[in-house]
Short mmCIF file of all heavy atoms in Angstrom, two decimals:
data_model
loop_
_atom_site.label_atom_id
_atom_site.label_comp_id
_atom_site.label_asym_id
_atom_site.label_seq_id
_atom_site.Cartn_x
_atom_site.Cartn_y
_atom_site.Cartn_z
N GLY K 503 56.17 131.42 85.70
CA GLY K 503 57.09 130.54 85.00
C GLY K 503 57.42 129.31 85.83
O GLY K 503 57.48 129.32 87.06
N GLY K 504 57.64 128.18 85.12
CA GLY K 504 58.02 126.94 85.77
C GLY K 504 59.35 126.45 85.31
O GLY K 504 60.12 127.18 84.61
N ARG K 505 59.64 125.20 85.63
CA ARG K 505 60.94 124.61 85.30
C ARG K 505 61.19 124.55 83.79
O ARG K 505 62.31 124.49 83.34
CB ARG K 505 60.98 123.21 85.89
CG ARG K 505 62.34 122.87 86.43
CD ARG K 505 62.43 121.89 87.53
NE ARG K 505 61.42 120.85 87.52
CZ ARG K 505 61.34 119.92 88.48
NH1 ARG K 505 62.22 119.94 89.46
NH2 ARG K 505 60.42 118.98 88.45
N GLY K 506 60.09 124.60 82.99
CA GLY K 506 60.22 124.62 81.55
C GLY K 506 60.92 125.86 81.02
O GLY K 506 61.29 125.92 79.85
N MET K 507 61.15 126.85 81.88
CA MET K 507 61.88 128.06 81.46
C MET K 507 63.35 127.80 81.44
O MET K 507 64.13 128.66 81.05
CB MET K 507 61.56 129.23 82.43
CG MET K 507 60.16 129.82 82.32
SD MET K 507 59.83 130.40 80.63
CE MET K 507 60.98 131.77 80.50
N LYS K 508 63.78 126.64 81.94
CA LYS K 508 65.15 126.12 81.87
C LYS K 508 66.16 126.77 82.85
O LYS K 508 67.09 126.12 83.29
CB LYS K 508 65.78 126.28 80.45
CG LYS K 508 64.89 125.79 79.34
CD LYS K 508 64.87 124.30 79.25
CE LYS K 508 64.14 123.82 78.02
NZ LYS K 508 63.30 122.66 78.28
N CYS K 529 55.76 132.05 90.14
CA CYS K 529 56.54 130.89 89.69
C CYS K 529 56.08 129.62 90.42
O CYS K 529 55.34 129.69 91.40
CB CYS K 529 58.03 131.10 89.91
SG CYS K 529 58.52 131.14 91.66
N SER K 530 56.53 128.48 89.88
CA SER K 530 56.23 127.20 90.56
C SER K 530 57.22 127.00 91.70
O SER K 530 58.26 127.68 91.77
CB SER K 530 56.32 126.04 89.55
OG SER K 530 57.65 125.89 89.13
N ARG K 531 56.96 126.05 92.53
CA ARG K 531 57.82 125.82 93.72
C ARG K 531 59.24 125.42 93.39
O ARG K 531 60.19 125.96 93.96
CB ARG K 531 57.16 124.82 94.62
CG ARG K 531 58.00 124.47 95.80
CD ARG K 531 57.26 123.63 96.78
NE ARG K 531 58.20 122.98 97.64
CZ ARG K 531 57.86 122.25 98.69
NH1 ARG K 531 56.59 122.13 99.01
NH2 ARG K 531 58.75 121.68 99.47
N PRO K 532 59.45 124.48 92.43
CA PRO K 532 60.82 124.10 92.16
C PRO K 532 61.67 125.28 91.69
O PRO K 532 62.90 125.33 91.91
CB PRO K 532 60.72 123.04 91.04
CG PRO K 532 59.34 122.61 91.00
CD PRO K 532 58.50 123.67 91.63
N VAL K 533 61.02 126.25 91.02
CA VAL K 533 61.74 127.43 90.55
C VAL K 533 62.26 128.24 91.75
O VAL K 533 63.41 128.70 91.75
CB VAL K 533 60.78 128.27 89.65
CG1 VAL K 533 61.31 129.68 89.47
CG2 VAL K 533 60.60 127.58 88.32
N HIS K 544 56.43 132.25 94.72
CA HIS K 544 55.97 130.84 94.57
C HIS K 544 54.49 130.74 94.93
O HIS K 544 54.09 131.18 95.99
CB HIS K 544 56.91 129.99 95.45
CG HIS K 544 56.37 128.78 96.09
ND1 HIS K 544 56.82 128.31 97.27
CD2 HIS K 544 55.36 127.98 95.76
CE1 HIS K 544 56.15 127.25 97.65
NE2 HIS K 544 55.23 127.01 96.72
N VAL K 545 53.73 130.17 94.01
CA VAL K 545 52.30 129.98 94.26
C VAL K 545 51.96 128.49 94.33
O VAL K 545 52.66 127.68 93.72
CB VAL K 545 51.42 130.69 93.21
CG1 VAL K 545 51.45 132.16 93.34
CG2 VAL K 545 51.82 130.28 91.76
N GLY K 546 50.90 128.17 95.04
CA GLY K 546 50.49 126.76 95.17
C GLY K 546 50.16 126.43 96.58
O GLY K 546 50.08 127.27 97.46
N GLN K 547 50.10 125.13 96.81
CA GLN K 547 49.67 124.61 98.12
C GLN K 547 50.56 125.15 99.22
O GLN K 547 50.09 125.47 100.30
CB GLN K 547 49.76 123.09 98.07
CG GLN K 547 49.30 122.38 99.34
CD GLN K 547 49.58 120.90 99.24
OE1 GLN K 547 49.69 120.33 98.15
NE2 GLN K 547 49.67 120.22 100.36
N THR K 548 51.88 125.20 98.95
CA THR K 548 52.78 125.63 99.98
C THR K 548 53.26 127.08 99.75
O THR K 548 54.14 127.58 100.43
CB THR K 548 54.03 124.72 100.06
OG1 THR K 548 54.47 124.49 98.70
CG2 THR K 548 53.69 123.41 100.73
N GLY K 549 52.67 127.74 98.77
CA GLY K 549 53.02 129.14 98.49
C GLY K 549 51.76 130.01 98.58
O GLY K 549 50.89 129.74 99.35
N GLY K 550 51.75 131.08 97.74
CA GLY K 550 50.62 131.98 97.79
C GLY K 550 49.40 131.43 97.06
O GLY K 550 49.53 130.59 96.18
N VAL K 560 53.61 129.51 82.15
CA VAL K 560 54.60 129.23 81.09
C VAL K 560 55.56 128.16 81.54
O VAL K 560 56.26 128.35 82.54
CB VAL K 560 55.38 130.51 80.73
CG1 VAL K 560 56.31 130.27 79.52
CG2 VAL K 560 54.46 131.67 80.45
N GLY K 561 55.58 127.01 80.86
CA GLY K 561 56.53 125.92 81.21
C GLY K 561 56.23 125.37 82.61
O GLY K 561 57.15 125.03 83.33
N ILE K 562 55.00 125.29 82.93
CA ILE K 562 54.55 124.71 84.24
C ILE K 562 53.66 123.49 83.93
O ILE K 562 52.76 123.58 83.11
CB ILE K 562 53.78 125.72 85.10
CG1 ILE K 562 54.58 127.01 85.32
CG2 ILE K 562 53.36 125.11 86.43
CD1 ILE K 562 53.83 128.12 86.06
N SER K 563 53.96 122.35 84.57
CA SER K 563 53.26 121.12 84.18
C SER K 563 51.79 121.09 84.68
O SER K 563 50.96 120.48 84.06
CB SER K 563 54.01 119.91 84.77
OG SER K 563 54.14 120.05 86.19
N GLY K 564 51.51 121.80 85.79
CA GLY K 564 50.13 121.82 86.30
C GLY K 564 49.88 120.74 87.34
O GLY K 564 48.81 120.13 87.39
N ALA K 565 50.87 120.53 88.20
CA ALA K 565 50.70 119.55 89.31
C ALA K 565 49.61 120.07 90.23
O ALA K 565 49.39 121.28 90.35
CB ALA K 565 52.02 119.42 90.09
N ILE K 566 48.93 119.12 90.89
CA ILE K 566 47.82 119.45 91.79
C ILE K 566 48.24 120.49 92.83
O ILE K 566 47.48 121.39 93.18
CB ILE K 566 47.27 118.15 92.42
CG1 ILE K 566 46.14 118.48 93.38
CG2 ILE K 566 48.28 117.33 93.07
CD1 ILE K 566 45.51 117.27 94.02
N GLN K 567 49.48 120.36 93.33
CA GLN K 567 49.95 121.28 94.36
C GLN K 567 50.08 122.71 93.81
O GLN K 567 49.95 123.69 94.53
CB GLN K 567 51.27 120.83 94.97
CG GLN K 567 51.21 119.51 95.69
CD GLN K 567 51.44 118.32 94.79
OE1 GLN K 567 51.61 118.44 93.59
NE2 GLN K 567 51.50 117.13 95.39
N HIS K 568 50.40 122.80 92.52
CA HIS K 568 50.51 124.14 91.91
C HIS K 568 49.10 124.69 91.68
O HIS K 568 48.81 125.86 92.04
CB HIS K 568 51.26 124.06 90.59
CG HIS K 568 51.48 125.40 89.99
ND1 HIS K 568 52.51 126.27 90.33
CD2 HIS K 568 50.74 126.09 89.06
CE1 HIS K 568 52.42 127.37 89.66
NE2 HIS K 568 51.36 127.32 88.86
N LEU K 569 48.22 123.84 91.13
CA LEU K 569 46.86 124.31 90.83
C LEU K 569 46.12 124.79 92.10
O LEU K 569 45.29 125.70 91.99
CB LEU K 569 46.04 123.15 90.21
CG LEU K 569 46.50 122.74 88.79
CD1 LEU K 569 45.69 121.53 88.31
CD2 LEU K 569 46.32 123.89 87.79
N ALA K 570 46.47 124.22 93.23
CA ALA K 570 45.80 124.61 94.46
C ALA K 570 45.91 126.11 94.74
O ALA K 570 45.01 126.70 95.33
CB ALA K 570 46.41 123.87 95.66
N GLY K 571 46.96 126.73 94.22
CA GLY K 571 47.13 128.15 94.46
C GLY K 571 46.59 129.07 93.38
O GLY K 571 46.55 130.29 93.55
N ILE K 581 51.09 127.79 78.37
CA ILE K 581 52.04 127.63 77.27
C ILE K 581 52.98 126.52 77.69
O ILE K 581 53.69 126.61 78.69
CB ILE K 581 52.85 128.93 77.02
CG1 ILE K 581 51.89 130.11 76.71
CG2 ILE K 581 53.90 128.74 75.92
CD1 ILE K 581 52.57 131.47 76.62
N ASN K 582 52.96 125.40 76.91
CA ASN K 582 53.73 124.23 77.28
C ASN K 582 54.07 123.45 76.04
O ASN K 582 53.23 123.32 75.13
CB ASN K 582 52.93 123.37 78.27
CG ASN K 582 53.81 122.39 79.02
OD1 ASN K 582 54.51 121.60 78.41
ND2 ASN K 582 53.79 122.46 80.32
N LYS K 583 55.27 122.92 75.97
CA LYS K 583 55.67 122.21 74.75
C LYS K 583 55.09 120.81 74.67
O LYS K 583 55.07 120.19 73.62
CB LYS K 583 57.19 122.19 74.54
CG LYS K 583 57.92 121.31 75.51
CD LYS K 583 59.37 121.25 75.13
CE LYS K 583 60.07 120.20 75.96
NZ LYS K 583 61.48 120.12 75.74
N ASP K 584 54.57 120.32 75.83
CA ASP K 584 54.04 118.98 75.86
C ASP K 584 52.51 119.03 75.80
O ASP K 584 51.84 119.48 76.76
CB ASP K 584 54.47 118.29 77.19
CG ASP K 584 53.82 116.93 77.39
OD1 ASP K 584 53.16 116.44 76.46
OD2 ASP K 584 54.00 116.35 78.49
N PRO K 585 51.89 118.57 74.70
CA PRO K 585 50.42 118.63 74.59
C PRO K 585 49.70 117.83 75.64
O PRO K 585 48.51 118.05 75.90
CB PRO K 585 50.14 118.07 73.19
CG PRO K 585 51.38 117.39 72.71
CD PRO K 585 52.53 117.94 73.52
N ALA K 587 50.58 117.88 78.83
CA ALA K 587 50.78 118.46 80.17
C ALA K 587 49.45 118.62 80.91
O ALA K 587 48.47 119.13 80.32
CB ALA K 587 51.46 119.84 80.02
N PRO K 588 49.36 118.18 82.17
CA PRO K 588 48.08 118.22 82.88
C PRO K 588 47.43 119.62 82.98
O PRO K 588 46.23 119.73 83.07
CB PRO K 588 48.41 117.70 84.29
CG PRO K 588 49.82 117.20 84.24
CD PRO K 588 50.43 117.57 82.93
N PHE K 589 48.29 120.66 82.91
CA PHE K 589 47.77 122.01 83.06
C PHE K 589 46.73 122.34 81.98
O PHE K 589 45.79 123.12 82.19
CB PHE K 589 48.90 123.04 83.01
CG PHE K 589 48.76 124.18 83.99
CD1 PHE K 589 49.85 124.80 84.55
CD2 PHE K 589 47.48 124.63 84.38
CE1 PHE K 589 49.72 125.84 85.47
CE2 PHE K 589 47.34 125.67 85.28
CZ PHE K 589 48.47 126.27 85.83
N VAL K 597 48.52 126.98 74.45
CA VAL K 597 49.42 127.08 73.31
C VAL K 597 50.48 125.97 73.47
O VAL K 597 51.17 125.93 74.48
CB VAL K 597 50.16 128.47 73.28
CG1 VAL K 597 51.03 128.58 72.04
CG2 VAL K 597 49.19 129.60 73.35
N GLY K 599 53.92 124.59 72.44
CA GLY K 599 55.12 125.01 71.75
C GLY K 599 56.21 125.42 72.75
O GLY K 599 55.99 125.35 73.97
N ASP K 600 57.31 125.83 72.20
CA ASP K 600 58.48 126.22 72.99
C ASP K 600 58.28 127.63 73.58
O ASP K 600 58.14 128.60 72.80
CB ASP K 600 59.73 126.16 72.10
CG ASP K 600 61.00 126.43 72.92
OD1 ASP K 600 60.91 126.92 74.07
OD2 ASP K 600 62.08 126.17 72.39
N ALA K 601 58.26 127.72 74.90
CA ALA K 601 58.02 129.00 75.57
C ALA K 601 59.02 130.07 75.15
O ALA K 601 58.65 131.23 75.01
CB ALA K 601 58.09 128.83 77.06
N LEU K 602 60.25 129.64 74.91
CA LEU K 602 61.29 130.59 74.62
C LEU K 602 61.04 131.27 73.25
O LEU K 602 61.50 132.38 73.00
CB LEU K 602 62.68 129.97 74.63
CG LEU K 602 63.03 129.28 75.97
CD1 LEU K 602 64.44 128.73 75.94
CD2 LEU K 602 62.84 130.20 77.19
N GLU K 603 60.29 130.61 72.40
CA GLU K 603 59.91 131.24 71.10
C GLU K 603 58.57 131.94 71.22
O GLU K 603 58.41 133.02 70.63
CB GLU K 603 59.72 130.12 70.04
CG GLU K 603 61.03 129.54 69.56
CD GLU K 603 60.81 128.37 68.63
OE1 GLU K 603 59.68 128.25 68.07
OE2 GLU K 603 61.73 127.56 68.49
N ILE K 604 57.63 131.38 71.98
CA ILE K 604 56.27 131.90 71.96
C ILE K 604 56.16 133.19 72.83
O ILE K 604 55.49 134.14 72.42
CB ILE K 604 55.26 130.85 72.50
CG1 ILE K 604 55.19 129.71 71.45
CG2 ILE K 604 53.90 131.41 72.77
CD1 ILE K 604 54.56 128.47 71.95
P1 FAD B 886 57.92 120.35 85.97
O1 FAD B 886 56.99 119.44 86.59
O2 FAD B 886 59.31 119.91 85.72
O3 FAD B 886 57.28 120.85 84.61
C1 FAD B 886 57.93 121.63 83.64
C2 FAD B 886 56.96 121.78 82.46
O4 FAD B 886 57.59 122.61 81.52
C3 FAD B 886 56.62 120.45 81.79
O5 FAD B 886 55.22 120.34 81.63
C4 FAD B 886 57.27 120.56 80.42
O6 FAD B 886 56.53 119.95 79.35
C5 FAD B 886 57.31 122.06 80.22
N1 FAD B 886 58.41 122.55 79.34
C6 FAD B 886 59.73 122.10 79.32
N2 FAD B 886 60.40 122.82 78.43
C7 FAD B 886 59.52 123.72 77.87
C8 FAD B 886 59.63 124.73 76.90
N3 FAD B 886 60.80 124.97 76.26
N4 FAD B 886 58.53 125.43 76.57
C9 FAD B 886 57.33 125.19 77.17
N5 FAD B 886 57.17 124.23 78.09
C10 FAD B 886 58.27 123.53 78.44
N6 FAD B 886 54.54 123.04 93.33
C11 FAD B 886 54.15 124.33 93.14
O7 FAD B 886 54.28 124.88 92.07
N7 FAD B 886 53.60 125.02 94.22
C12 FAD B 886 53.45 124.47 95.46
O8 FAD B 886 52.96 125.16 96.36
C13 FAD B 886 53.82 123.14 95.64
N8 FAD B 886 53.65 122.53 96.86
C14 FAD B 886 53.99 121.21 96.99
C15 FAD B 886 53.74 120.56 98.21
C16 FAD B 886 54.02 119.24 98.34
C17 FAD B 886 53.75 118.57 99.65
C18 FAD B 886 54.59 118.51 97.25
C19 FAD B 886 54.91 117.05 97.41
C20 FAD B 886 54.86 119.15 96.07
C21 FAD B 886 54.60 120.51 95.91
N9 FAD B 886 54.83 121.16 94.71
C22 FAD B 886 54.40 122.43 94.55
C23 FAD B 886 55.57 120.53 93.61
C24 FAD B 886 54.67 119.96 92.53
O9 FAD B 886 54.28 118.65 92.84
C25 FAD B 886 55.41 119.93 91.19
O10 FAD B 886 56.58 119.16 91.30
C26 FAD B 886 55.79 121.30 90.64
O11 FAD B 886 54.65 122.15 90.61
C27 FAD B 886 56.36 121.17 89.25
O12 FAD B 886 56.87 122.42 88.87
P2 FAD B 886 56.99 122.79 87.31
O13 FAD B 886 55.70 122.58 86.67
O14 FAD B 886 57.65 124.12 87.23
O15 FAD B 886 58.09 121.71 86.81
#
Side-chain angles (χ1 to χ4, degrees):
R505 219 154 30 182
M507 289 302 295
K508 313 283 187 220
C529 68
S530 67
R531 177 171 161 173
V533 163
H544 147 210
V545 288
Q547 184 187 337
T548 45
V560 186
I562 303 177
S563 57
I566 178 180
Q567 296 89 356
H568 184 83
L569 291 176
I581 301 172
N582 197 303
K583 70 173 188 184
D584 174 7
F589 220 149
V597 183
D600 185 346
L602 303 184
E603 286 173 20
I604 291 165

